[in-house]
Amino acid sequence: EILSVPTAAAPLRARPVLGSWEFAHRAREAMAESTLKLVFLAVGVWVTFTIFGWAMEALTSTEYGEEKERFSFTWSLVLLQSIGNAFAAALVLMLTGAKSLTGGVPAKDWIIAGAAYLGAAKFGLMSLHYIIYPMQVLVKSCKAIPVM
C-alpha cells in the first residue's frame, strides 16, 4: 500500500511512503547485503595479513648465498610497501574523480603519519627479537583486529 504524504522540503508535491511490509523487506535485503560485505571484507583482511606475514617470514628467515646470510633490510620492505600503498591509493582516487590526492589533509600531516608508520614497523620488528616465539605468534595474530 503506497500513501502520499507531503514533506517539509516539498510541501506542494506528494512523496510516496512505503508500506510497512515493503519497508521491512527492503531493510532485510539491505542488512543481508551489508552482512555479506562485512564477511567478505573481514575474510579479505585475514587472508591478506596471513599471506603477507607468511611472505615476510619466508623472506627474512631464509638463508641466502654461500655465507648463509639472512635478509635484514626490513625497513626497505616497509618503505617499498608504503610507496606501493600510496600509488594504489592515488590510482583509486584518480579513478573515482577525487579533487585532491591528499583528501583535504595537509601534506605535512601525511608525512608525519607516514614517518610514524615506518618507525612503528621498524621498532615493532626489532622488538620481536626479545620476545619468545609463542608470544610473537600471539602478538602477530592480533594485528588484524584494529584494522577491521
Side-chain angles (χ1 to χ4, degrees), residues 126-140:
M126 287 172 56
S127 69
L128 290 177
H129 294 286
Y130 302 100
I131 300 175
I132 60 173
Y133 184 74
M135 184 63 78
Q136 288 181 21
V137 172
L138 180 64
V139 170
K140 287 180 181 182

Side-chain angles (χ1 to χ4, degrees), residues 21-45:
W21 64 270
E22 191 174 352
F23 178 78
H25 178 68
R26 287 187 183 179
R28 278 192 299 273
E29 284 180 349
M31 186 175 219
E33 182 180 330
S34 178
T35 301
L36 184 62
K37 187 184 285 186
L38 174 66
V39 169
F40 173 75
L41 293 174
V43 169
V45 167

Side-chain angles (χ1 to χ4, degrees), residues 1 6 8 15 44 55 60 68 84 89 93 104 106 112 114 124 127 129 141 143 146:
E1 170 180 329
R15 203 167 114 198
T60 57
K68 302 291 185 194
L93 286 172
I112 291 170
S127 69
H129 294 286
S141 67
K143 183 178 179 182

Side-chain angles (χ1 to χ4, degrees), residues 5-87:
V5 177
T7 63
L12 300 177
R13 289 186 300 191
R15 203 167 114 198
V17 176
L18 298 176
S20 62
W21 64 270
E22 191 174 352
F23 178 78
H25 178 68
R26 287 187 183 179
R28 278 192 299 273
E29 284 180 349
M31 186 175 219
E33 182 180 330
S34 178
T35 301
L36 184 62
K37 187 184 285 186
L38 174 66
V39 169
F40 173 75
L41 293 174
V43 169
V45 167
W46 281 331
V47 167
T48 54
F49 265 115
T50 301
I51 292 170
F52 177 75
W54 173 79
M56 286 290 287
E57 188 71 26
L59 180 66
T60 57
S61 65
T62 303
E63 295 177 343
Y64 299 97
E66 294 175 8
E67 297 178 17
K68 302 291 185 194
E69 293 179 305
R70 290 189 177 190
F71 185 83
S72 60
F73 300 102
T74 54
W75 206 340
S76 63
L77 291 177
V78 174
L79 180 62
L80 287 173
Q81 177 190 357
S82 298
I83 291 169
N85 291 345
F87 280 127

